[in-house]
Amino acid sequence: AQKVTQAQTEISVVEKEDVTLDCVYETRDTTYYLFWYKQPPSGELVFLIRRNSFDEQNEISGRYSWNFQKSTSSFNFTITASQVVDSAVYFCALSGSSGSARQLTFGSGTQLTVLP
Amino acid sequence: KAGVTQTPRYLIKTRGQQVTLSCSPISGHRSVSWYQQTPGQGLQFLFEYFSETQRNKGNFPGRFSGRQFSNSRSEMNVSTLELGDSALYLCASSLVASGMTDTQYFGPGTRLTVL
């Protein structure tokens, strides 16, 4: 069975601070995919990034960066110089490569509040 | 390209009624998945449709059903509504390139309230 754990339920930071959202996953698949989604108050899940299990390169996109470590089964997300518009719930998700494993298994989400 | 659209955005029903939610995927996307989001259970997978066939199903009772049309549009139906069915229902579409798991793109959701 697949499982995603986001231990941080809520995080509050002041604007311009850096913040890291933790994600730990469990899977028996050798090929799998990891995702981060952002859910603003409007409710829509906005796709941020996808990572394949065979590609451990870290990625940076503007103020966002992701650290994927297979050795610790973690896929952490860092926002640099946070802004009020970053306030949202962030979900980490995992899917396998075929059959019933294609469905997304989500963590419980981290509510990020960025204060001005 | 237009994103995933869902209708209606809000719905209020009473216990025992049934409801149908609609989802139009991104143009060219052939797979549609449905998820239920509640404060207590979080985001849970309902089912996935591809080429008008249900390809995958989550752990939900038979009151929850769906279908997909030849244009990839999908509907989900919940019969005999219960209070616990109150939730945000999210639809996601993906391209389904051969051999790989594709990224799912989500619509704005339908918020269902059961009274």
Side-chain angles (χ1 to χ4, degrees), chain A residues 9-75:
Chain A
T9 305
E10 296 181 24
I11 299 177
S12 184
V13 299
V14 176
E15 206 169 20
K16 296 185 184 175
E17 285 185 358
D18 298 347
V19 59
T20 295
L21 310 182
D22 297 334
C23 173
V24 174
Y25 63 91
E26 295 176 31
T27 181
R28 294 180 182 174
D29 291 346
T30 53
T31 299
Y32 53 89
Y33 303 85
L34 293 161
F35 303 82
W36 276 95
Y37 287 87
K38 172 182 179 180
Q39 188 176 42
S42 61
E44 181 173 350
L45 281 170
V46 178
F47 166 72
L48 295 177
I49 191 171
R50 160 199 166 119
R51 217 72 192 126
N52 305 330
S53 55
F54 42 86
D55 180 3
E56 284 193 73
Q57 240 184 345
N58 292 328
E59 183 155 336
I60 298 175
S61 176
R63 297 184 296 106
Y64 296 170
S65 62
W66 290 269
N67 183 6
F68 176 28
Q69 291 195 337
K70 283 180 80 170
S71 61
T72 56
S73 297
S74 64
F75 185 41

Side-chain angles (χ1 to χ4, degrees), chain A residues 33 35 37 39 42-45 47 50 91 95-97 99-100 102-104 106, chain B residues 9 35 37 43 45 48 55-57 88 90 100-108:
Chain A
Y33 303 85
F35 303 82
Y37 287 87
Q39 188 176 42
S42 61
E44 181 173 350
L45 281 170
F47 166 72
R50 160 199 166 119
F91 290 94
S95 76
S97 59
S100 62
R102 285 183 189 266
Q103 68 194 62
L104 286 169
F106 286 90
Chain B
R9 293 293 311 279
Y35 294 82
Q37 185 177 23
L43 279 154
F45 171 75
E48 180 203 5
R55 188 160 72 166
N56 197 3
K57 188 177 191 307
L88 180 66
L90 291 160
M100 289 189 67
T101 292
D102 289 304
T103 297
Q104 294 183 33
Y105 296 91
F106 286 80

Side-chain angles (χ1 to χ4, degrees), chain B:
Chain B
K1 246 184 200 180
V4 178
T5 58
Q6 292 186 245
T7 57
R9 293 293 311 279
Y10 302 91
L11 209 46
I12 299 175
K13 292 286 187 179
T14 56
R15 277 182 300 175
Q17 287 187 310
Q18 76 166 27
V19 67
T20 299
L21 313 182
S22 181
C23 171
S24 292
I26 293 171
S27 177
H29 283 196
R30 299 164 63 194
S31 170
V32 173
S33 296
W34 290 88
Y35 294 82
Q36 182 198 62
Q37 185 177 23
T38 60
Q41 300 298 317
L43 279 154
Q44 294 184 289
F45 171 75
L46 279 156
F47 29 64
E48 180 203 5
Y49 285 87
F50 173 71
S51 290
E52 302 178 63
T53 301
Q54 187 181 88
R55 188 160 72 166
N56 197 3
K57 188 177 191 307
N59 189 24
F60 278 83
R63 299 185 297 107
F64 292 82
S65 63
R67 59 177 175 169
Q68 186 181 35
F69 302 96
S70 57
N71 61 358
S72 294
R73 191 177 70 84
S74 177
E75 289 180 348
M76 68 163 280
N77 184 276
V78 188
S79 62
T80 320
L81 284 166
E82 301 177 359
L83 295 179
D85 297 333
S86 294
L88 180 66
Y89 289 90
L90 291 160
C91 166
S93 74
S94 60
L95 185 62
V96 189
S98 61
M100 289 189 67
T101 292
D102 289 304
T103 297
Q104 294 183 33
Y105 296 91
F106 286 80
T110 294
R111 187 164 295 280
L112 172 65
T113 301
V114 182
L115 302 176

